[in-house]
Amino acid sequence: MKVTDKLPSGLNIQANRVAVAGISSGGFMTTQLQLAYPETFPLAAVLAGGPYDCLKVAGAMAGCLSPSALTDQQLTSAVNRAVQNAKDHSLGDLNLLNHGSIYVLYGTADQVVGTKIAGAVTTFYKKLQATLPTQLAGLQISEDGTHRFGHTFPTYLPPLPDDDCIKSVSPYLGHCGFDGAKNILEHLYPDIKTGDQPDGAAGAITKLRSANSLPPSAAYAGKFVYVYTPKACMNGQPCGLVLALHGCNQNETAIGLKFVRDVGFNRWADDYRVIVVYPQTRTVDQNYGGCWDWWGYTGTQFDTRAAPQMAWLNRLVNRVANLSGH
């Protein structure tokens, strides 16, 4: 695969069909990104993640991992923090989520983040909507916590004898017989109906230099970003975009391109008419195998628009999609 500075020509990305979807630390990052940049990410899907400012209201990382649970008071505090941060312009204009959506997915066998923390994402958004009932009346909130899989990204592949779907082992792409990527895309783009099997039209993976989107050193960006462009999105056809965020120990350093190639979004990209952007973290001692920052290793402003990692991801999407007015 050649390194390039150019995407296929003629991309036509619709701003209202841009989404962020992430697993584990990428799931925590997803909630932060949607609140920090609702003008860029009206749509979001969180897999095995946690609510905004979980660590700040829980007081410690352990309070955001299994078997912990957040109290109603802690979740109310998280909502109040988000609302105040938006008023202070540390987050985006939350009114822009009125026509947006959030989908929450987690497995019943997750023993890392756990069902209580993962399910708290739904409660957070419902409390946020109740706090801003007029502004967020149109926000669509949905959840599915009924499928049996562990702390892994479930794929359509049939279960193996060692059951990596439940055990949650590297590369954290479980053979579950449950297509998590399709399930997420169904909720992000409910207007599109597909068959049981993907169209299968060929697409192309572009390897971009992260430096082109100007990540500061504190963003801990990996050297490359990978972009999958399906045939359906070439030649100017209107399409959406999914920013797909890996979890801890799922970046290129840890597992090569397995997440990029095998997580499942590329299989369905033609059917749902989306390009898929796969940014990578840079692994350092502070981020536990390349996690996205939801606790502050990039700085004290990690949960705001001033966060170097989030600012880079927002800039990356806007450059890839060539969105105007952002």
Side-chain angles (χ1 to χ4, degrees):
M1 191 185 310
K2 292 183 178 180
V3 180
T4 179
D5 295 330
K6 296 182 179 179
L7 286 163
S9 61
L11 291 181
N12 179 13
I13 303 300
Q14 299 170 295
N16 65 342
R17 298 188 68 234
V18 174
V20 54
I23 175 175
S24 191
S25 68
F28 281 90
M29 176 58 76
T30 292
T31 63
Q32 292 177 182
L33 270 176
Q34 188 178 44
L35 297 176
Y37 296 101
E39 69 273 23
T40 302
F41 302 105
L43 313 176
V46 176
L47 171 56
Y52 178 75
D53 263 359
C54 186
L55 181 129
K56 288 191 175 181
V57 299
M61 185 179 291
C64 299
L65 301 173
S66 179
S68 297
L70 295 174
T71 65
D72 185 75
Q73 183 178 2
Q74 286 173 322
L75 282 168
T76 298
S77 178
V79 168
N80 291 340
R81 291 181 65 86
V83 172
Q84 186 59 52
N85 284 346
K87 288 180 180 178
D88 295 340
H89 306 292
S90 296
L91 293 178
D93 180 0
L94 300 183
N95 295 340
L96 297 176
L97 293 179
N98 188 43
H99 300 292
S101 70
I102 175 71
Y103 174 54
V104 181
L105 175 65
Y106 54 91
T108 60
D110 187 337
Q111 297 183 19
V112 178
V113 169
T115 60
K116 294 177 182 178
I117 294 297
V121 178
T122 306
T123 307
F124 169 87
Y125 274 92
K126 287 183 176 179
K127 280 180 171 288
L128 181 64
Q129 189 175 49
T131 302
L132 304 171
T134 303
Q135 299 95 314
L136 298 182
L139 175 64
Q140 300 297 309
I141 305 168
S142 57
E143 174 189 291
D144 188 345
T146 64
H147 299 276
R148 188 171 182 267
F149 59 90
H151 194 69
T152 192
F153 201 113
T155 73
Y156 73 101
L157 296 170
L160 297 174
D162 64 356
D163 206 357
D164 66 352
C165 182
I166 303 300
K167 291 181 179 178
S168 305
V169 295
S170 182
Y172 305 100
L173 300 170
H175 293 65
C176 298
F178 168 59
D179 197 335
K182 183 176 190 292
N183 178 269
I184 286 171
L185 291 170
E186 285 174 338
H187 286 83
L188 291 175
Y189 307 107
D191 56 311
I192 296 179
K193 306 302 178 185
T194 70
D196 293 332
Q197 295 297 321
D199 179 64
I205 296 177
T206 304
K207 183 178 183 180
L208 300 175
R209 294 178 180 87
S210 295
N212 291 337
S213 49
L214 304 177
S217 60
Y220 294 94
K223 190 174 182 180
F224 300 109
V225 174
Y226 298 88
V227 180
Y228 180 79
T229 306
K231 188 175 181 180
C233 295
M234 298 179 183
N235 302 317
Q237 296 300 311
C239 279
L241 179 151
V242 176
L243 181 71
L245 302 179
H246 60 71
C248 306
N249 295 298
Q250 274 190 321
N251 64 6
E252 185 175 5
T253 301
I255 63 171
L257 296 185
K258 289 181 180 179
F259 187 83
V260 174
R261 296 186 185 278
D262 300 334
V263 71
F265 289 123
N266 300 352
R267 295 178 68 239
W268 291 100
D270 262 290
D271 296 78
Y272 285 93
R273 300 194 302 278
V274 293
I275 72 169
V276 190
V277 180
Y278 297 95
Q280 305 293 308
T281 56
R282 175 163 53 91
T283 300
V284 293
D285 291 342
Q286 303 96 303
N287 64 14
Y288 302 104
C291 302
W292 296 100
D293 186 16
W294 59 273
W295 66 88
Y297 75 81
T298 62
T300 58
Q301 296 178 305
F302 71 94
D303 56 344
T304 72
R305 289 171 73 96
Q309 207 168 74
M310 288 205 290
W312 166 57
L313 291 172
N314 179 64
R315 188 162 51 248
L316 168 66
V317 168
N318 278 275
R319 289 197 172 198
V320 170
N322 194 26
L323 300 176
S324 60
H326 293 174

